[in-house]
Amino acid sequence: MNSDQTRGAAVNIEQLLDELTLEEQVSLMAGADFWTTVPIPRLGIPAVKVSDGPNGARGAGGLTNGTPAAAFPCAIALGASWNSDAAYEMGAALAAEARSKGARVLLAPTVNIHRSGLNGRNFECYSEDPLLTSMLAVAYIKGL
């Protein structure tokens, strides 16, 4: 199966997973580099470029010397706004930015609940309130 065949037809994910060798499965979890998955040409699985996304879509490079990106408010700041329209607009803007950098997957949003004030990554989550978190996450994802 080549990539042209898989694009036009429904793909049976379970069958593809069964056809992957153990080495191919591991390679998909490890990636080709920091931002790209490993292609599996014999099964028509292309390389996929991903990008960090909660606060801006980076294009390539390391964490400190990569492609410049817009800086959006962190999720906890968006949570403090209680504004689902802003979450939608932010998702749409991040989707456009990810596309402009050639990324097909945005590693965002973080849909989680703050369970402890000691968590060092709470800024990536919207709130400790499940209703607010779900309201903002749904809007953000619809925007994406």
Side-chain angles (χ1 to χ4, degrees), residues 89-136:
E89 290 177 27
M90 187 170 155
L94 281 164
E97 185 168 277
R99 274 193 303 273
S100 77
K101 293 182 166 72
R104 299 189 64 185
V105 174
L106 189 65
L107 303 174
T110 302
V111 181
N112 203 353
I113 304 289
H114 303 165
R115 291 182 292 276
S116 166
L118 302 176
N119 180 352
R121 300 198 69 106
N122 278 347
F123 68 93
E124 291 183 333
C125 305
Y126 299 114
S127 169
E128 71 281 355
D129 180 78
L131 179 62
L132 175 59
T133 292
S134 63
M135 178 184 78
L136 295 175

Side-chain angles (χ1 to χ4, degrees), residues 51 64 70 72 81 111 121 142:
S51 180
T64 58
F72 291 87
S81 78
V111 181
R121 300 198 69 106
K142 283 183 177 180

Side-chain angles (χ1 to χ4, degrees), residues 38-58:
V38 173
I40 312 291
R42 73 179 188 84
L43 296 176
I45 300 172
V48 176
K49 183 176 181 183
V50 303
S51 180
D52 222 354
N55 303 86
R58 289 185 280 177

Side-chain angles (χ1 to χ4, degrees), residues 22-32 37-38:
L22 179 60
E23 291 80 13
E24 290 167 338
Q25 291 172 8
V26 170
S27 74
L28 287 172
M29 292 190 319
T37 64
V38 173

Side-chain angles (χ1 to χ4, degrees), residues 1-3 5-7 9-22 24-25 28 40-46:
M1 174 180 346
N2 65 38
S3 60
Q5 291 171 316
T6 60
R7 284 189 198 123
V11 176
N12 183 330
I13 300 298
E14 295 297 325
Q15 181 182 348
L16 276 177
L17 291 173
D18 288 343
E19 292 180 35
L20 288 168
T21 66
L22 179 60
E24 290 167 338
Q25 291 172 8
L28 287 172
I40 312 291
R42 73 179 188 84
L43 296 176
I45 300 172

